[in-house]
Amino acid sequence: MFDWHSWLGLAASVAIALAAAFVVAVITKLIVVAATKRREWPRALTSKARHPYRLLLAVIATWAAINFSMPGMDWVDHAFLIALIAVGAWFIGAIVSFGIGLGMGRYRIDVPDNRVARRIQTQLAIVRRLAFAVIVIVAAGSILLTFPGVQAVGASVLASAGIVSIVAGLAAQSTLANVFAGVQLAFSDAIRVDDVVIAEGEWGRIEEVTLTYVVVHIWDDRRMVLPSTYFTSTPFENWTRSGSELLGSVEIDLDWRVSPVAMRAELDRILARTNIWDGRASVLQVTDATGGFVRVRILVTAVDAPTLFDLRCFIREEMVEWLQTQDPAAIPRTRVQMVQSEQRAESAPTSETHTDQIGLFTGSAQAEERASLLTSSIPIIETDGRRD
């Protein structure tokens, strides 16, 4: 008769148990696929949970085979219990990840008008992280409680739980504040994944929301990591809070000879040539006329912030081209008034000279002429070698 309690019997028991686990895994897969034909989610479930499920079946089958062949081995039972808890936590985590991923897949954020989808994506991402944290903590605690020494210490730890919780709360005050802020952000709808925000003076999109920090993808491909408390305690701009449509302006300083009517007609032609304008609003107004210039402001709308930026640049380029070719008189000029000659004329003396005393050689033009005759050189005439 075959001895199942020998090493050979142990090997045979383990082999049979593993074969049975493999058969159970195959049957489970066939049942899931047959029950959900023409659907995509069974493939995702199989991909997520295949390895932990098979490993879980293998651990259970091997443990049962060892207990059948060689019962009473406490250290083996302890080791397999720890392995069962760890693999079971892995399997539960895979199921949770599949379920949350299935929900996130139904809400796409790469489509227009995705405000609800972005909110759901953010909340599900936070829930997934919370679930993973709870699973890991529970599994680690369960493994520790399998050791007799930890069980003995557990009573005293629970007795002083109030003091320990106070000390831990004070020590991890900033961390806990970020955790609570992360949960608040996820469920208060203040920010969502793919929201366009202005934080710390930088324009970017919310790329990731975690329990303790938020990653902002800045427009030049930098990443700014901010604590979750930043978005609960610091004012910031959210450009897609209730919708992604935005209104933007283009301001140009021009000469006084510009024609707003002609510019308004050209703006209509420019917008008719592009498909990035959403057609909601287009306004051209003269908002200022001081300092020698006329300020023209153009208001246009677009479906989102990146499209609005491209539209503003396009309008600015087209207007510059039109001003250079069609209305050069509207190009700004700096005017300078020459007043130097007028100042000299005002400061020059008049032809009439008024003096208190008029003498023989001073005081009048005739006196000055007589003085010049007397002070000029006298010619000397030589005759016959003599000077007269």
Side-chain angles (χ1 to χ4, degrees):
M1 185 177 180
F2 187 76
D3 187 7
W4 291 98
H5 299 288
S6 62
W7 288 105
L8 183 60
L10 176 62
S13 299
V14 171
I16 294 173
L18 292 178
F22 178 75
V23 172
V24 171
V26 172
I27 293 174
T28 304
K29 181 180 178 180
L30 293 176
I31 292 174
V32 171
V33 173
T36 57
K37 289 183 178 180
R38 295 185 298 275
R39 294 185 181 181
E40 295 293 332
W41 67 265
R43 298 180 181 178
L45 176 61
T46 303
S47 177
K48 287 282 186 182
R50 179 175 66 250
H51 298 296
Y53 178 67
R54 291 178 179 178
L55 185 58
L56 181 64
L57 290 177
V59 169
I60 295 174
T62 304
W63 191 10
I66 292 176
N67 279 331
F68 174 75
S69 297
M70 295 183 176
M73 300 176 66
D74 295 336
W75 65 273
V76 173
D77 291 339
H78 190 196
F80 272 96
L81 179 60
I82 293 174
L84 181 63
I85 293 173
V87 177
W90 183 18
F91 177 68
I92 294 173
I95 296 297
V96 171
S97 178
F98 162 74
I100 295 177
L102 188 64
M104 296 176 69
R106 295 181 179 179
Y107 298 92
R108 299 175 54 187
I109 61 175
D110 56 347
V111 296
D113 193 15
N114 57 0
R115 183 172 62 90
V116 175
R118 287 187 283 111
R119 185 182 72 246
I120 299 299
Q121 290 269 0
T122 304
Q123 294 176 353
L124 289 178
I126 294 296
V127 169
R128 179 169 57 186
R129 293 178 183 274
L130 283 173
F132 286 166
V134 171
I135 291 172
V136 171
I137 292 173
V138 171
S142 301
I143 291 174
L144 290 176
L145 289 175
T146 60
F147 294 91
V150 176
Q151 293 177 356
V153 177
S156 61
V157 172
L158 291 176
S160 59
I163 299 176
V164 172
S165 62
I166 294 174
V167 174
L170 293 176
Q173 183 177 3
S174 60
T175 303
L176 292 176
N178 282 317
V179 171
F180 290 129
V183 176
Q184 179 182 349
L185 290 176
F187 292 96
S188 65
D189 206 24
I191 58 173
R192 301 171 294 263
V193 174
D194 206 43
D195 267 350
V196 177
V197 298
I198 303 293
E200 294 294 312
E202 298 284 356
W203 182 96
R205 292 181 177 273
I206 301 297
E207 185 177 56
E208 185 179 5
V209 180
T210 69
L211 288 175
T212 56
Y213 63 89
V214 177
V215 180
V216 181
H217 184 184
I218 304 177
W219 65 273
D220 56 359
D221 281 342
R222 290 179 294 155
R223 264 69 174 181
M224 182 166 55
V225 181
L226 297 170
S228 299
T229 53
Y230 174 87
F231 292 95
T232 58
S233 60
T234 306
F236 65 96
E237 297 182 25
N238 190 337
W239 289 13
T240 54
R241 175 66 176 80
S242 58
S244 60
E245 297 83 3
L246 291 174
L247 173 71
S249 64
V250 177
E251 292 187 339
I252 307 175
D253 289 337
L254 300 173
D255 192 81
W256 282 73
R257 291 178 291 180
V258 67
S259 173
V261 176
M263 285 193 69
R264 196 171 289 113
E266 179 61 21
L267 175 63
D268 294 337
R269 289 189 290 269
I270 291 172
L271 295 177
R273 295 197 302 267
T274 180
N275 57 358
I276 58 178
W277 176 55
D278 63 1
R280 289 189 298 121
S282 64
V283 178
L284 188 146
Q285 295 174 320
V286 177
T287 59
D288 203 355
T290 58
F293 298 101
V294 172
R295 176 161 296 178
V296 177
R297 184 177 68 177
I298 300 172
L299 298 179
V300 289
T301 55
V303 294
D304 53 28
T307 307
L308 179 62
F309 180 80
D310 293 339
L311 179 61
R312 292 168 61 195
C313 293
F314 175 73
I315 292 175
R316 196 177 292 113
E317 294 173 1
E318 292 294 321
M319 279 297 178
V320 169
E321 183 72 21
W322 179 79
L323 289 170
Q324 291 177 351
T325 58
Q326 302 297 327
D327 194 5
I331 297 176
R333 289 172 173 81
T334 301
R335 294 175 173 84
V336 179
Q337 183 178 1
M338 303 300 295
V339 297
Q340 185 176 6
S341 59
E342 297 180 3
Q343 293 176 351
R344 288 181 177 178
E346 293 175 358
S347 61
T350 58
S351 60
E352 297 181 359
T353 304
H354 300 280
T355 59
D356 295 336
Q357 297 180 353
I358 299 176
L360 181 62
F361 299 106
T362 60
S364 65
Q366 294 79 4
E368 295 291 339
E369 184 178 357
R370 287 193 295 268
S372 64
L373 292 176
L374 293 177
T375 56
S376 61
S377 59
I378 302 174
I380 299 176
I381 302 173
E382 294 183 1
T383 58
D384 298 333
R386 294 178 298 175
R387 294 184 177 179
D388 294 337

